[in-house]
Amino acid sequence: MSQQHPNRARLLISCRDKAGIVSAVSTFLHQHDANIVQSDQFSTDPQGGMFFMRIEFDLGTASPDFLRLKQEFHSLAAEMDLDWKMELAARKKRMAILVSKEDHCLLELLWRWRSGELQVDIPLIISNHPTNKQVVESYGIPFFHVPVTRETKQEAEQEAIQLLKQHDVDFIVLARYMQILSSTFVDSFPHRIINIHHSFLPAFIGANPYAKAFERGVKLIGATAHYVTDDLDEGPIIEQDVLRVNHRYSTQELRVAGRNVERIALARAVEWHTNDQVLVYGNKTVVF
């Protein structure tokens, strides 16, 4: 879409619901020769609830340049007390990936990136193990091995944070990165870290959830993609998916099926974040 419509932009808004928001925003865009091509909105409660809106629009030949348009929107946003973000659709976000040994989520993202399905730049990939170094570098992406031990965890996190900031990343994907991030790390990238985990949590916690699921004879397995917060695996959920299984599945077959669900759910969440389709409020999300 961004290549076909180089003048397309996206506007995300969240605020207390009140009359006139849609009219005011639409009028502003019309007055600046912008053409709305898609508009979605949602209210948690029309009587004083939260209002969310996502608009895609094309800049016209008489429109001011994008930076000036964005600057001029500040006045309306202040007047109506809007939390907002405006982005050019053509600007590729810079996505970093953190991974450990398992590669199924990593490879799904890399394949979608190389095929052009995922419109991002990937300036670096960081891992606490060297396992995936060769495959990452075969894609022409810099790979940084930052080992983590109990004694060096704080220093390793600081090294990773420094690398991420040096490469000016917009957001981070934990593609089965098997480390718990500290508050310092999470606070450095608020609502900009996406994680994937199996949906057996908290019922099947620990190192081998699929074995425990097999023992209980589960009929559904799934995965959850969410933003990372200080509350472990309890951040705002972006996407979930499930797959029906039965008594014929072995532990290994459950593990394979689970990996398939994980990589698909994570890829969807990353795509939606990349396309500015996700608005966070409290511990929930609105996904347009």
Side-chain angles (χ1 to χ4, degrees):
M1 178 180 293
S2 60
Q3 293 175 349
Q4 297 176 357
H5 304 282
N7 294 323
R8 183 154 297 179
R10 305 180 183 123
L11 174 62
L12 298 181
I13 291 173
S14 59
C15 62
R16 284 290 173 186
D17 200 356
K18 54 193 170 187
I21 300 170
V22 175
S23 175
V25 173
S26 300
T27 299
F28 172 87
L29 292 174
H30 174 68
Q31 290 173 343
H32 289 78
D33 192 40
N35 180 43
I36 295 174
V37 294
Q38 183 173 334
S39 180
D40 296 282
Q41 54 262 352
F42 169 72
S43 175
T44 61
D45 185 348
Q47 304 299 321
M50 287 295 296
F51 177 80
F52 305 92
M53 182 162 62
R54 179 184 185 272
I55 292 177
E56 288 197 12
F57 61 93
D58 288 338
L59 299 172
T61 55
S63 296
D65 65 73
F66 176 73
L67 291 179
R68 185 178 143 206
L69 178 75
K70 192 173 180 179
Q71 183 61 38
E72 291 183 4
F73 190 76
H74 278 276
S75 297
L76 177 61
E79 177 186 337
M80 304 202 72
D81 196 22
L82 309 179
D83 288 328
W84 62 284
K85 180 176 76 168
M86 190 183 293
E87 295 275 0
L88 278 174
R91 187 187 82 84
K92 290 185 178 181
K93 291 180 174 61
R94 295 171 64 80
M95 178 183 79
I97 301 175
L98 271 61
V99 65
S100 291
K101 292 182 178 179
E102 292 191 71
D103 63 2
H104 56 288
C105 288
L106 169 68
L107 292 175
E108 180 72 22
L109 294 174
L110 290 178
W111 182 86
R112 290 179 182 239
W113 168 73
R114 187 170 65 179
S115 67
E117 293 184 19
L118 193 56
Q119 293 290 314
V120 295
D121 289 328
I122 307 178
L124 79 164
I125 292 175
I126 298 174
S127 179
N128 56 326
H129 295 280
T131 312
N132 292 299
K133 177 180 172 65
Q134 185 174 355
V135 67
V136 168
E137 291 182 343
S138 72
Y139 281 82
I141 300 171
F143 179 91
F144 293 88
H145 177 212
V146 181
V148 180
T149 66
R150 184 175 300 178
E151 295 74 23
T152 65
K153 184 174 179 64
Q154 185 174 355
E155 292 81 359
E157 275 204 347
Q158 286 302 315
E159 182 179 349
I161 290 172
Q162 186 176 6
L163 283 168
L164 294 166
K165 291 187 174 181
Q166 284 176 352
H167 288 79
D168 193 27
V169 303
D170 291 299
F171 71 107
I172 301 157
V173 180
L174 308 183
R176 300 299 289 164
Y177 183 64
M178 307 306 289
Q179 293 290 323
I180 297 174
L181 301 180
S182 70
S183 298
T184 300
F185 197 114
V186 174
D187 291 343
S188 298
F189 307 94
H191 295 151
R192 292 194 290 150
I193 307 174
I194 300 173
N195 186 37
I196 185 71
H197 67 68
H198 49 79
S199 289
F200 299 132
L201 294 172
F204 301 108
I205 61 176
N208 199 348
Y210 293 103
K212 296 175 182 177
F214 175 78
E215 292 170 4
R216 289 290 302 275
V218 300
K219 301 298 185 259
L220 288 173
I221 60 171
T224 300
H226 65 95
Y227 289 116
V228 176
T229 63
D230 283 338
D231 296 321
L232 183 63
D233 292 331
E234 294 186 13
I237 293 171
I238 307 169
E239 169 65 335
Q240 292 179 295
D241 203 354
V242 293
L243 179 68
R244 183 166 291 279
V245 296
N246 58 41
H247 58 278
R248 298 183 185 278
Y249 279 67
S250 66
T251 301
Q252 178 58 25
E253 287 170 331
L254 286 177
R255 184 175 290 109
V256 170
R259 287 173 178 167
N260 287 335
V261 178
E262 286 173 13
R263 60 188 179 84
I264 297 303
L266 179 61
R268 285 190 193 133
V270 171
E271 181 180 1
W272 294 342
H273 178 91
T274 300
N275 291 338
D276 301 305
Q277 293 176 244
V278 187
L279 285 156
V280 178
Y281 73 107
N283 204 49
K284 295 182 178 181
T285 63
V286 171
V287 182
F288 286 122

